[in-house]
Structure formats: structure tokens, C-alpha cells
Amino acid sequence: MNNICYVVAMRAEAEPFIKKYGIKEVEDFFAPLPCQLYEGMVNGMKLSVVLNGQQHGSDLVGCEAASIATMAAIQKLNPDLIINSGTCGAFLTNGAGIADVYIGNRAMFHDRRVPGDDAWSTQSIGNYPVWEGSKQLAEDLGFKTGKVTTGSSLDMQPCDLKMIQENGGELKDMEGAAVGFVCSLFGKPVLYVKSVTDLCDSGAETFEEFSRNLGKACEALKDANERIIEHLSAQR
């Protein structure tokens, strides 16, 4: 692969990685959209990092911002591979720990409840495929794998948990399936790299646990992405 593009929601998730490779911001590249672009060459590959951007002084998280950033990245950069890198919740009962890094093996929505026949249900859940090399990459680098489930809220309602459990979900985020949806429309492969900030079944308050562990999870994410970049460049 010669051209890879990361789509990342939060600056805290991307900044350690941006600093590591010294890639530079291309100002106003996506204007008037809030998305921000950083790019450079790493090991002979073009590396782009697209942030959702900010509004009202905070990072734009969630499905809408992720969809816009992914669509803009594909249309203007035409990468060979989209990598959605970020933090997530996970489950103690599935063996997850704080700052564990997972490679996603599927992506679905867990809070889109559309009544009706199987066609409506299938469309609302999504179940988007991942890049065909995801499984081998996880095996080669020793990462855990899990199904990414996406919703528009940081908390999790009982109906969300029910949807996650019934569909084999293991990771809970706010962007993954939205990125997968856009990639499916353009026929672009997507790789998910997720680091755990909070354990959904630990009994802890979600935002407090997320805030406490964000730095540790982002550092693990940086280390994982360095290994992934090295792995992808070695396969060129």
C-alpha cells in the first residue's frame, strides 16, 4: 500500500502518533468543513491523518462527524486503506483490560432500533466488513480481535447492551460503524485499531473511567499504530 489514511475523532488519540512521525498540518485543506489534515511520508508511504475537527471548543465525536471526515478523506485523498484508530469501551467478561489494543473484525451500530422486517433491521445494524488483511495483521502483531459496535452516546442503555450481546459485540465506540458505512459506499477497505479506556461492566461511572484512562489508552494506541505502520510498509 502506498497511501494510507487514518480517520481519528479526538486530538488526544492522534497527537502522540502525529508527533512520533512529525507529519505536518495542511491548513484549511477541508474548508469549510472542520476536519483537519496532517500528512507526510513514512517509510516510502504517504501517511495522512484526518481529525474530525472541533466545534464550540471541543472535539467532534460521534457518527455524524466521523461520516463527514471519512467521506471528505476518501474524496480528496483517495487512500488505499482507511484506518479508524481510537479509544473504546470493552467488557471484563470478554477478558478486556484497560489499554488493551484490538483489531476490529466487523462493525455494527448498537443504538439504531428500526422496527420492521429483516431488511430494515439488517440495514440499521450495518455489520460492515473490514479490510481482508485485518485478521492476519492481528495474528502477526499479537493483537486481540473483536467486533466494534457504535452508538451516538458515551453511556450505554439496557437496550444498547441487549443489542451488543445479541450480535456478538465486544468493543463499544462512537465512530467505527459510521466510518465503515461510508467506506462501504466507496468500496474502500477499512482497518479498525481500538484501545480500551473503560470497561462497560466494571460498575464504574463511564466518563470518569474514560477520563482517568485516556492518556494510557492513547499511548498504547500510538505504540500499536507504530507497529502497524512498520508492518504495512514492510509488505509493500
Side-chain angles (χ1 to χ4, degrees):
M1 291 187 181
N2 297 312
N3 182 2
I4 63 173
C5 177
Y6 278 79
V7 175
V8 186
M10 298 175 60
R11 175 164 292 279
E13 295 166 330
E15 196 154 37
F17 186 55
I18 289 170
K19 288 181 176 179
K20 161 66 182 178
Y21 286 108
I23 55 179
K24 303 299 183 183
E25 183 175 7
V26 183
E27 293 187 5
D28 300 322
F29 183 81
F30 293 111
L33 300 177
C35 318
Q36 296 171 289
L37 171 66
Y38 292 78
E39 65 178 10
M41 298 297 295
V42 176
N43 298 340
M45 295 190 306
K46 181 181 178 182
L47 173 64
S48 303
V49 177
V50 176
L51 299 177
N52 289 356
Q54 294 190 337
Q55 191 175 54
H56 304 305
S58 63
D59 291 323
L60 284 164
V61 299
C63 298
E64 295 87 353
S67 296
I68 290 170
T70 305
M71 186 169 181
I74 292 173
Q75 289 184 319
K76 297 200 71 171
L77 301 172
N78 192 29
D80 300 319
L81 176 68
I82 291 284
I83 303 179
N84 177 224
S85 175
T87 55
C88 68
F91 295 86
L92 277 170
T93 51
N94 291 335
I98 298 298
D100 283 353
V101 173
Y102 284 78
I103 300 299
N105 56 29
R106 207 80 177 170
M108 60 166 277
F109 291 100
H110 63 245
D111 65 350
R112 294 174 65 180
R113 294 172 287 279
V114 181
D117 58 21
D118 288 345
W120 281 105
S121 177
T122 297
Q123 184 273 132
S124 64
I125 293 173
N127 275 327
Y128 302 107
V130 298
W131 172 50
E132 61 183 8
S134 296
K135 181 179 179 181
Q136 189 62 55
L137 182 145
E139 291 177 357
D140 290 347
L141 299 182
F143 293 126
K144 296 180 177 181
T145 60
K147 187 174 185 178
V148 178
T149 79
T150 299
S152 294
S153 299
L154 184 65
D155 68 355
M156 180 174 61
Q157 299 301 310
C159 51
D160 298 337
L161 178 59
K162 183 174 183 290
M163 181 76 79
I164 291 169
Q165 292 175 333
E166 288 179 348
N167 289 276
E170 296 172 84
L171 310 172
K172 175 185 173 294
D173 79 347
M174 296 179 66
E175 290 88 21
V179 175
F181 166 65
V182 177
C183 287
S184 74
L185 299 179
F186 285 91
K188 286 291 181 183
V190 58
L191 170 68
Y192 294 102
V193 186
K194 300 291 176 176
S195 181
V196 177
T197 52
D198 54 283
L199 299 167
C200 302
D201 51 352
S202 69
E205 199 280 324
T206 302
F207 184 72
E208 290 181 2
E209 190 174 26
F210 164 80
S211 300
R212 182 169 62 249
N213 296 315
L214 180 60
K216 182 178 180 181
C218 288
E219 189 63 26
L221 201 61
K222 176 185 74 73
D223 293 343
N225 282 317
E226 288 178 31
R227 296 176 63 202
I228 289 167
I229 292 296
E230 293 297 325
H231 185 81
L232 292 175
S233 64
Q235 291 182 327
R236 292 177 65 246

